[in-house]
Amino acid sequence: MNLNQARVNLNTILLIAGALITGPALAEQANNHSTETLYLQQCAACHGPDRLGGMGPALLPENLGRLKKAEAEQVIREGRPATQMAGYKTILNDQQIAALTDFIYQPPSHELKWGEAEIRSSRQVSHPQGSLPDEPVFEADLMNLFLVVEIGDHHVTLLDGDKMEPIHRFPSRFALHGGPKYSPDGRYVYFGSRDGWITKYDIYNLKVVAEIRAGINMRNIAVSADGNYVLAANYLPHSMVLFDAANLEMLDFIPVENDAGDSSRVSAVYAAPPRSSFIAALKDIPEAWEITVENREAKVRRMATDTLLDDFFFDPGYQHLIGAARDGKHGVVIDLDTGKTTAELPLPGMPHLGSGITWEYQGRRVMATPHFRAGAISIIDMDTWEVIKTLKTEGPGFFMRSHENSRYAWADVFFGPNADKVHIIDKQTLEIVKTLQPEPGKVAAHVEFDRHGEKLLLSIWDNEGAIIVYDADTLEEEKRIPMNKPSGKYNVWNKINYEEGTSH
C-alpha cells in the first residue's frame, strides 16, 4: 500500500467513526466513499478512474443497460471467460461485490466529457492503410463470407458461406451494437461498440488495423457509399463524429442541437447511397438530419417533423424516409427532397422499422415490419402507403429477413413466452406457412441469407447456442455450428449491395 492509499483508508475510517456520533447521513457518505475507493483500487486500472473504460468497457448505467445487476454481480464474482476480466470471489467478500455492483449502476457525481481532444488521443493505428498485403490469407468466395457476432463472450466468427464452416474467430470490443458495416469492396469491416469504440478490421489479413473511441455511449456507425467516411451516432455526449475511413482520423465533431440550443441523443445514423449522404434519427428533438461531407467537413440539413421519431426505414431509391413515432402508435413518411411529411401510417405496437424489408408483390413494392409491443407484422403498399395486411404472430418480434431469390420471409418472436419460435411467410400469399421451434426453451432469432439466397443462418441466442443452417427452399435444417450466444450474422454480398431482404 502506498502513502496515498493509506491516507484514503484513514479518511474512510474516520468518516465511519464519525458516523457513530453524527448519524446515518455521514455513515452513508462514508460507505459511498469506501466503495469508490474500492473501485479505484480494484477496477480503475482496466475500466478507468472515471468509469469511462479503458482496457475494459465503460461501467456506466447507460452502457450497462442490457446487463442485469445480478449478471454484473456474477461477472465481478466469477470473471468473464476468454477475457482479461478475472473473478474477485477470492479477493472481495459478498458485501463488497454487491456494493461495487450498485456503484457502477449509479450515475457518476461529475459531468462526463468526451470531446475532440479525447477522441483524437484515443486513436490507435496498428496497420496503416496500404501496409498489409492485398491478397487474402485464406481461400473462399470473398463475397459469400459471413461475420457472426457472438455476444456471449464478445467474439466474432468469420464464416465461409459456401462450406458453412468457420475460418477464423477473434475477440471484439464489449457489447457491439448496430451491426458491422463493410467497405464497398468487402475487404474491411467497421464495428461499433456501446461504449463508443470503432474498430476497423482487415478481413483479408485477419487483423485489427485501427481503433478510435467516438463517444461514451454510442448507438451505431455508418459507412459512406464511396467508402471514404465513417459517421458515428452517440447517446453520450449528444454528438455525431465524422472520420476518414482509411485510418479513422477524426475530421469533424458535430454537436446535435436545434436552433434553440436544445440537445438530443442520436437514435441511429444510416448511409443513403443514392443521395451520397447520411440520414440521422434524433431521439429528443422532432427533426431528422441529412448529413453530406464537403471538403472533409459535415454539412447538416435539418428536416422538422411533427413528432419525435425513434427508428427509420427507406424505400429502395432513398426518396422517402419512413419513421416510427415515439408514441408507438403510428409512423410518418417524409419526402427526403422536400423534407415534408407526406403520409401517416397506422402502426400500433411500436414497429421495428430498422429491421423492415421490402419485396415485389403483385407488381408493386411492399414493405413489412415487425413490432416491439404487439404480436403482429404490418405489410404496407409503398405507393399508397396503406397497410394492406396485418399478420398475427405468436408474440412481438425484432428481426425480419429475406432475399430477392427466396419466396419466403422469416420473422422471429423475440419477446415473450414464444421467443423460441420463428415464422416463415410466403411473400406472394402474405400468409405464415410454417412456424419453427428449433430449440425449445431457447430464443431463436435473426436470420441472414447467403449471397445467392439458397441457404440461411438462424441463431440460437444462448451461451450454449448455435448457428443453424437451413435450405432456403425446402426449409429443412442442414447443420448446426456451436457458438456462444450468436446474435447477428452479416453476409458481405448482401450488405454491400443493399440486398432487399437485409437490414442496412
Side-chain angles (χ1 to χ4, degrees), residues 250-297:
M250 195 193 94
L251 301 178
D252 205 356
F253 183 89
I254 311 153
V256 179
E257 300 176 342
N258 62 11
D259 291 337
D262 302 316
S263 68
S264 175
R265 297 166 290 176
V266 186
S267 295
V269 63
Y270 306 88
R275 307 178 68 83
S276 298
S277 66
F278 299 97
I279 309 293
L282 307 189
K283 188 84 169 178
D284 310 305
I285 295 173
E287 293 181 355
W289 285 13
E290 182 169 25
I291 301 101
T292 54
V293 182
E294 299 177 18
N295 299 320
R296 295 165 64 87
E297 293 183 354

Side-chain angles (χ1 to χ4, degrees), residues 231-251:
L231 188 62
N234 288 323
Y235 257 23
L236 184 68
H238 295 177
S239 67
M240 287 185 284
V241 191
L242 180 69
F243 301 93
D244 186 313
N247 294 307
L248 296 183
E249 174 192 359
M250 195 193 94
L251 301 178

